[in-house]
Amino acid sequence: MRQSQKTERSDYRQKDSVEHEGYDEVRSTSCGEQTDQDGVSTLFERILSRNNLNRAYLQVVRNKGAAGVDGMMYDQLLPYLKENREELLNQLREGSYKPSPVRRVEIPKSNGDKRKLGIPTVIDRMLQQAINQVLQPIFETEFSDNSFGFRPKRSAQMAIIQAKSYYEQGYRYVVDIDMKAYFDTVNHDKLMYLIEKKVQDKQVLCLIRRYLMSGIMENGLVHPSEEGTPQGGNLSPLLSNIYLNEFDRFLEARGHKFVRYADDCNIYIRSKRAGHRVMSNAINFLEGELKLTVNREKSAVGSPLKRKFLGFCIHPTKKGVKIRPHNKAKITVKQKLKRITKRNRGRSVAVLFKEIKQLMNGWINYYGIGEMKGFMNELNGWLKRRIRQYIWKQWKYPRTRRRNLMLLGIDKHKAYKWSNTRKGYWKIAMSHILHHSLTDKELVSRGYMDISLKYQFVHSNY
């Protein structure tokens, strides 16, 4: 068990402070401290209730994920809790629990930049999830109908449908605002002030503050976190929505049509001139009131037909306005498939099909709302050619090729002729001999998921 750190009790805004667990003042439902159905009277005890912690544990295990700074994996959490549960709860109630620093990792982005993520320990992921489960319903009633990110029963697809409806109403220009390193620049004092409006349980406020200031470990060194809510924590999405809800209210008060998904916000207007005025006002509020930084190079006023939002674009057709994936999304997925099917990877075909299925299931489930039947048919044909090339390369020797072709129904004479061909891999992959042996049906029987059929199924459900 990690060593606990005893602290002096003082105001919760201080880094190592905590209110005594006997804190007992009048609480109101408006502050989210109503008694729950199990009779638990304080918000803090609701967070630590057995049912809530069990739900949080199961969610962390379902999400899996990498280890934090302590090296503990998600499948090691249950044995740890069986042995240390009471001590952990006592530390939390006494205010001596100190969250571990998050482990900094960088994930490459499609544009060449890197996204910084913070990975908490699995213990802290469970506790953050427990806090989130209790606070989410309290703040959900405060959030705007134009906010779609990290909220129950809302999705990126719903956000782009809303954007499409604004275009259909005649809002043909968009103010596309990009916030620079949003999750790393949230002001802690401002955030805690906004949380305190709905939450008055000082033990809860202190624990949240400690998570905000838990620090970041990078290259073996711990750096203090004086601002930001590291992207990757279970609590960060809710905190980011609480913070940017102020921006939502600012836009609603001015009657703007907008869609926000986390830190991606598009405001829809009727003219380019109005767009520049709205852009200026929005930047002044974000940088002045919320102390954020707007990336002026990526922010712009333009057409929703060209500007990318959540990976999508608006697409007007003779049959009405449609949604389509942005060209960058199509290029990116093709590049990923190309890496998976690189013919010298040395992986079995079963592994190859598994990787393709994992990638394309996620990609199609996300982009399946878009109109892209032609693209999916073309990509499916190209991918099957890559697979045939991969299998032909694996067969390698003429005798192996001859034997496999004969097993797949090719007569002996043709099998002998083609097994000794000098044609290149890519050219042989489109030959009639492989199309008659490694047929579409044969590929499916070996585990290939027809991505064109998968897309048609997903798209038909929208």
Side-chain angles (χ1 to χ4, degrees):
M1 186 72 184
R2 293 176 303 176
Q3 291 283 12
S4 63
Q5 180 173 333
K6 298 293 182 181
T7 58
E8 296 295 326
R9 297 185 181 100
S10 56
D11 190 88
Y12 80 88
R13 287 186 177 85
Q14 296 181 18
K15 180 176 180 181
D16 293 319
S17 65
V18 64
E19 186 70 21
H20 190 274
E21 65 175 334
Y23 170 77
D24 184 27
E25 66 177 65
V26 177
R27 296 167 174 84
S28 66
T29 56
S30 64
C31 294
E33 300 187 82
Q34 63 273 21
T35 302
D36 71 0
Q37 60 184 356
D38 295 325
V40 179
S41 59
T42 71
L43 205 62
F44 189 69
E45 287 302 325
R46 284 174 59 191
I47 290 170
L48 299 188
S49 68
R50 180 178 292 273
N51 287 341
N52 189 55
L53 287 175
N54 284 344
R55 285 175 54 212
Y57 163 78
L58 291 173
Q59 186 62 48
V60 169
V61 171
R62 278 194 295 267
N63 290 344
K64 299 183 179 180
V69 295
D70 61 355
M72 185 187 297
M73 297 296 295
Y74 67 91
D75 55 357
Q76 298 173 296
L77 180 57
L78 183 58
Y80 175 89
L81 291 174
K82 284 181 177 179
E83 185 177 346
N84 301 284
R85 178 180 179 275
E86 292 305 318
E87 185 178 352
L88 176 63
L89 291 176
N90 287 337
Q91 286 185 14
L92 287 162
R93 290 190 174 103
E94 292 170 1
S96 60
Y97 179 78
K98 185 177 180 181
S100 299
V102 298
R103 180 167 67 88
R104 173 73 83 197
V105 296
E106 294 184 340
I107 307 297
K109 296 168 69 174
S110 57
N111 61 2
D113 294 338
K114 292 186 177 180
R115 186 187 305 278
K116 293 183 178 180
L117 299 181
I119 302 178
T121 64
V122 288
I123 300 168
D124 287 327
R125 293 210 291 270
M126 183 189 72
L127 294 176
Q128 287 190 34
Q129 179 64 27
I131 298 170
N132 181 77
Q133 287 168 178
V134 172
L135 295 192
Q136 180 80 46
I138 295 171
F139 285 94
E140 186 63 27
T141 57
E142 300 294 309
F143 292 153
S144 169
D145 287 338
N146 297 299
S147 167
F148 293 88
F150 310 118
R151 295 180 60 189
K153 299 180 180 179
R154 287 176 172 251
S155 64
Q157 290 76 19
M158 294 172 68
I160 197 64
I161 289 172
Q162 179 81 300
K164 170 179 166 285
S165 72
Y166 289 147
Y167 186 87
E168 291 172 327
Q169 294 170 33
Y171 295 87
R172 301 300 169 87
Y173 289 89
V174 62
V175 177
D176 186 356
I177 297 177
D178 184 88
M179 296 176 217
K180 189 173 183 179
Y182 165 68
F183 283 90
D184 294 327
T185 56
V186 170
N187 182 274
H188 288 174
D189 291 332
K190 179 74 174 179
L191 174 59
M192 293 305 302
Y193 168 75
L194 296 173
I195 296 172
E196 190 179 0
K197 286 183 177 181
K198 295 290 290 182
V199 176
Q200 292 184 352
D201 189 318
K202 292 188 178 180
Q203 286 179 292
V204 177
L205 294 170
C206 177
L207 186 56
I208 294 173
R209 170 71 79 164
R210 286 191 172 189
Y211 272 116
L212 291 175
M213 304 185 73
S214 60
I216 298 169
M217 179 174 283
E218 195 168 9
N219 298 323
L221 299 176
V222 177
H223 305 280
S225 48
E226 298 177 354
E227 61 180 8
T229 58
Q231 202 170 354
N234 296 54
L235 192 56
S236 292
L238 174 61
L239 299 182
S240 73
N241 273 334
I242 292 172
Y243 202 75
L244 283 178
N245 191 52
E246 296 301 293
F247 185 50
D248 297 342
R249 290 181 175 181
F250 169 80
L251 296 175
E252 287 174 339
R254 284 152 181 77
H256 292 310
K257 307 289 186 183
F258 70 97
V259 179
R260 183 176 66 79
Y261 191 96
D263 58 332
D264 288 327
C265 184
N266 275 7
I267 308 168
Y268 295 84
I269 63 278
R270 295 186 184 274
S271 71
K272 198 168 187 178
R273 183 177 179 182
H276 289 295
R277 183 180 68 250
V278 172
M279 171 75 81
S280 177
N281 292 336
I283 290 176
N284 289 339
F285 181 85
L286 289 168
E287 295 187 337
E289 295 294 324
L290 296 184
K291 306 182 188 304
L292 299 172
T293 303
V294 174
N295 189 331
R296 286 167 169 78
E297 292 181 1
K298 294 184 179 180
S299 301
V301 179
S303 169
L305 308 182
K306 297 179 181 179
R307 299 293 300 181
K308 181 177 69 170
F309 181 51
L310 303 177
F312 294 96
C313 281
I314 307 298
H315 179 54
T317 68
K318 293 180 180 179
K319 296 182 179 180
V321 179
K322 304 292 183 181
I323 298 165
R324 65 175 177 83
H326 193 273
N327 285 335
K328 286 184 179 179
K330 297 177 181 178
I331 292 170
T332 299
V333 75
K334 191 170 183 179
Q335 289 173 341
K336 290 180 178 179
L337 288 171
K338 193 171 184 178
R339 285 195 293 270
I340 290 174
T341 56
K342 192 175 180 181
R343 66 174 185 255
N344 60 355
R345 284 191 67 209
R347 301 289 189 274
S348 69
V349 175
V351 170
L352 192 76
F353 286 158
K354 183 180 179 181
E355 291 179 353
I356 292 171
K357 188 173 183 179
Q358 288 176 339
L359 171 65
M360 294 310 297
N361 265 333
W363 195 88
I364 293 172
N365 286 335
Y366 184 83
Y367 288 103
I369 190 175
E371 298 291 330
M372 52 175 177
K373 184 178 179 180
F375 169 74
M376 289 306 299
N377 288 338
E378 179 186 341
L379 186 67
N380 194 38
W382 171 84
L383 180 57
K384 285 186 288 189
R385 185 178 175 184
R386 295 276 302 179
I387 292 167
R388 290 185 177 104
Q389 172 188 240
Y390 190 91
I391 294 173
W392 185 255
K393 173 69 163 58
Q394 280 200 330
W395 289 349
K396 196 171 184 179
Y397 300 109
R399 64 178 181 274
T400 307
R401 293 170 179 172
R402 183 167 59 252
R403 182 177 67 249
N404 285 324
L405 287 174
M406 291 171 63
L407 287 172
L408 291 169
I410 305 300
D411 67 69
K412 185 176 180 180
H413 176 72
K414 286 186 177 180
Y416 180 83
K417 176 182 176 182
W418 282 93
S419 65
N420 289 282
T421 183
R422 293 186 178 182
K423 290 184 177 180
Y425 293 111
W426 187 237
K427 194 167 185 179
I428 196 70
M430 66 175 293
S431 67
H432 74 276
I433 200 72
L434 286 193
H435 277 269
H436 281 81
S437 54
L438 293 172
T439 62
D440 292 353
K441 187 176 180 180
E442 173 65 22
L443 295 180
V444 170
S445 72
R446 294 186 180 204
Y448 176 67
M449 180 187 74
D450 190 300
I451 61 175
S452 183
L453 293 177
K454 171 71 176 180
Y455 162 72
Q456 292 174 34
F457 172 78
V458 171
H459 186 70
S460 66
N461 290 325
Y462 281 105

